[in-house]
Amino acid sequence: MNIPTSLLYTKEHEWIKLVGNQGMIGITDYAQAALGDVTFVELPKVGDELRQFETFATIESVKAVSDVYAPMSGKVVKVNERLETNPELINQSPYEEGWLAVIEIADESEKDNLMTAEEYRKYLEEEA
Amino acid sequence: MELKATPLFERHKALKAKLAPFAGWLMPIQYTSILEEHHWTRTHCSLFDTCHMGEILIYGRPEESGLDRLVSMNLKQMPVGKCSYGFMLNEDGGIMDDLIVYKLAEDKWMLVVNAGPLAKDEAHLKTHIKTKVENISDTTAKLDLQGPLSREILKQWVGEEIGRLKYYHFAFFSLLGEEVLISRTGYTGELGFEFYIKAEKAKALWDLFLSDGRVRPAGLGARDTLRLEMGYPLYGQDITEETTPLEAGLGRFVDFEKDFIGRKVLLRQREEGIKRKLVGFVTNSRRAPRHGYKIYVEGKEVGFVTSGTFSPSLSCGIGMGYVEIEYAKTDQALLIRQDRIEIEARIRKRPFYKGGSLQT
C-alpha cells in the first residue's frame, strides 16, 4: 500500500498536500483499491467553500457511490477537470494525476485533526 | 448466517479475488478490475465460477410429474438435448424464479435455478411434483466460459464437435475423464458455454481452462455489467414475486396454450393490459442509475430503477426499471433521482450493446 510521507490523511481515506497556503486533495491508494474502477466523479465548483470533514465530492465506481470528505476547510481554487473524461486516473495515480481539487486553506490549525503517513498506516492496520 | 463457499474458493483466494456475499455465498466479485474483466469477455474469453446456482432433477415425463404446470415454457415441443428459458410462477402470476430447463431424456429433466430462491424452488417443486425431485446442487459444480474465442479454445479439449452445438442446446462431452454436460448458454451476450461437472472435479476443470492464456477469470461484477448491457433481468432485482412476466416484457417465454400455475392471473392481465412495464434506459453521462433510484417524467414520479450500472462498452450509464405503462415508450425522456443525484436518461431498446458474439 502506497502512503507518501509528505501528505496528511483522514480516517475517511482522503489526503491533503499542503504547499504554502494551498492544499491539494485526493483519495488514498487504499480508497481507490477498495472502490475498484472509478467511472464517474462529481467535483465541487471553483469558489465553493469546503468545511473540514464535510462532503464535497462524489466518486462512483462500477459497484458503489461514495462521498468524499474535505480534509480541511477552504475555498476551492482549482478542480481536476481531466477526471470528467478520465476518472480512471484516480485508480492509476491516486496521489498525482488523480487529485480532485486545490483549496485555499482557511484555518491551518485544522491539520492537527489529520494523521501523518505513519499514523495512517497504523490506522489501516488496525482497521484490517 | 454462515456464508457458503464454492469448490473453487481456494482458487479465488489464491488469485486474490475481491470477495463479497451474494445470495448466501461468498463469491468472487472481481480478480483484477471489473472493467478489464468485462472487456476481456467481450473480446476474448472469460471463466466464471457459477457453482452457487442450483440444479434440480425431475424424474418422469412432464405430464406424469406435473412439471408442465410448474414452469412457463412449452415442454411438449422440446427435443432431448434442448434447453429452454422460462419462469416458475406463483398463483398470482408473480415470478418465483427464472430458470433454464434441460431435457436430459424423455423422463429426466434438469432445472437450473438461481442461488437465492433455490430452497424456495425446491420446496415448491416437492409440494407439486408427483414423481422424484432431486436437488443435486451440492454435488454439482457449474463453470461458464464466455466470449467470442470460447468455441475455438474449447476445441483443443473436447474436439471439433463442439462446433456443432447450437445456441440453447447441450450435449455430453468427454473432459478430464468424465462425461461433462456442456450447454451453449450463458448470460453475457457473447458466444459461450456452461459446464456441469461433479463438484470434486471443479478445480481440475478450472485449472484446465486457465492453462490457456486466452482465458482469464471474471467475477460477479463483470457478470452483472455484461448481462445489463444485454438488458437481461436479474432475479431478485428486475423480476421478483411482485412482478409478472408480462410486466417484465418477457411474455414470449410463457406458453399460454397450456395450463400452468399463475395462468389465470396472467390471462386477465393480458386482457386488461398491464399498468407498469420494465423498460431499459441509457443516461446522458457516465453517472450510473442504481437500484432503488426513482424515475420521474415532467416532475411526476412514474417508477423506480431495478438495476443500473456504468456500461463499460458504451461509456455511459444504463439501467432498467418499472415505469407506468403510458411512459413505457422508446425515446421517452426520464429523470432519475436519488437525494442530490439527478440523471437524465431516455428509454432505449435492448440490448444496449449490439456487438455481442452470442449467435455466431
Side-chain angles (χ1 to χ4, degrees), chain B residues 171-314:
Chain B
F172 288 86
F173 294 85
S174 173
L175 198 56
L176 299 170
E178 300 277 329
E179 286 297 289
V180 180
L181 192 165
I182 305 179
S183 61
R184 210 182 123 187
T185 49
Y187 222 52
T188 61
E190 299 300 330
L191 173 68
F193 302 86
E194 298 185 286
F195 303 78
Y196 300 87
I197 190 170
K198 282 186 200 146
E200 60 265 30
K201 290 280 183 178
K203 284 184 207 159
L205 190 60
W206 176 268
D207 295 343
L208 178 71
F209 288 151
L210 290 184
S211 70
D212 188 312
R214 294 171 292 178
V215 180
R216 292 185 184 171
L220 290 188
R223 200 172 156 78
D224 195 49
T225 55
L226 289 159
R227 68 98 191 165
L228 253 171
E229 284 188 348
M230 294 305 292
Y232 295 154
L234 176 64
Y235 190 75
Q237 273 182 218
D238 309 301
I239 50 178
T240 68
E241 293 225 28
E242 278 67 52
T243 62
T244 73
L246 298 179
E247 291 171 330
L250 300 166
R252 64 189 179 282
F253 299 110
V254 180
D255 173 17
F256 281 100
E257 302 304 310
K258 69 170 191 180
D259 182 36
F260 59 88
I261 294 177
R263 179 171 182 264
K264 218 184 266 175
V265 177
L266 290 191
L267 279 177
R268 194 169 66 225
Q269 200 173 52
R270 196 167 67 165
E271 187 85 2
E272 293 171 356
I274 49 174
K275 293 185 176 62
R276 58 174 186 171
K277 194 172 180 205
L278 186 68
V279 296
F281 41 81
V282 173
T283 75
N284 71 345
S285 76
R286 295 177 62 96
R287 186 153 227 175
R290 313 237 173 206
H291 179 78
Y293 287 13
K294 297 208 163 70
I295 302 175
Y296 294 80
V297 172
E298 287 160 10
K300 179 184 167 213
E301 188 179 330
V302 300
F304 55 93
V305 176
T306 51
S307 277
T309 185
F310 171 77
S311 161
S313 301
L314 307 177

Side-chain angles (χ1 to χ4, degrees), chain B residues 50-227:
Chain B
T50 51
C51 290
H52 60 303
M53 295 186 72
E55 296 86 13
I56 300 173
L57 293 177
I58 310 287
Y59 294 88
R61 292 166 178 274
E63 42 295 10
E64 57 176 316
S65 67
L67 179 61
D68 211 26
R69 278 198 75 239
L70 298 189
V71 293
S72 67
M73 57 284 260
N74 181 339
L75 301 180
K76 281 207 182 71
Q77 309 288 326
M78 267 176 85
V80 172
K82 180 87 178 74
C83 316
S84 179
Y85 176 83
F87 310 102
M88 213 159 13
L89 303 171
N90 63 27
E91 293 287 351
D92 299 323
I95 301 172
M96 292 185 69
D97 204 354
D98 65 336
L99 72 162
I100 297 182
V101 171
Y102 288 68
K103 185 173 181 180
L104 303 176
E106 292 299 335
D107 57 357
K108 194 177 177 189
W109 301 67
M110 180 170 75
L111 312 188
V112 178
V113 304
N114 286 296
L118 170 62
K120 174 184 79 174
D121 293 349
E122 187 184 357
H124 180 72
L125 288 163
K126 285 187 167 160
T127 303
H128 295 278
I129 293 283
K130 300 180 198 84
T131 55
K132 189 178 162 197
V133 176
E134 189 184 3
N135 180 355
I136 56 166
S137 306
D138 288 342
T139 53
T140 307
K142 177 174 176 292
L143 277 69
D144 296 9
L145 265 189
Q146 301 278 305
L149 303 184
S150 56
R151 183 164 48 206
E152 277 316 300
I153 290 170
L154 254 187
K155 281 181 181 171
Q156 65 189 301
W157 299 305
V158 301
E160 288 289 326
E161 60 264 45
I162 194 70
R164 286 196 287 276
L165 194 60
K166 285 188 281 198
Y167 184 55
Y168 259 70
H169 284 71
F170 70 89
F172 288 86
F173 294 85
S174 173
L175 198 56
L176 299 170
E178 300 277 329
E179 286 297 289
V180 180
L181 192 165
I182 305 179
S183 61
R184 210 182 123 187
T185 49
Y187 222 52
T188 61
E190 299 300 330
L191 173 68
F193 302 86
E194 298 185 286
F195 303 78
Y196 300 87
I197 190 170
K198 282 186 200 146
E200 60 265 30
K201 290 280 183 178
K203 284 184 207 159
L205 190 60
W206 176 268
D207 295 343
L208 178 71
F209 288 151
L210 290 184
S211 70
D212 188 312
R214 294 171 292 178
V215 180
R216 292 185 184 171
L220 290 188
R223 200 172 156 78
D224 195 49
T225 55
L226 289 159
R227 68 98 191 165

Side-chain angles (χ1 to χ4, degrees), chain A residues 16-17 19 21-26 44-48 50 56 74-80 99-105:
Chain A
I16 187 163
K17 181 179 175 180
V19 182
N21 69 333
Q22 293 196 337
M24 181 179 270
I25 303 170
K45 288 182 192 66
V46 170
D48 282 0
L50 309 192
F56 77 97
K75 187 193 274 188
V76 176
V77 292
K78 222 162 123 184
V79 296
N80 188 355
W99 62 278
L100 298 172
V102 176
I103 59 169
E104 229 165 57
I105 301 298

Side-chain angles (χ1 to χ4, degrees), chain A residues 84-99:
Chain A
E84 232 168 79
T85 44
N86 299 91
E88 66 277 6
L89 289 173
I90 291 178
N91 297 115
Q92 292 162 2
S93 175
Y95 298 113
E96 306 282 340
E97 292 180 68
W99 62 278

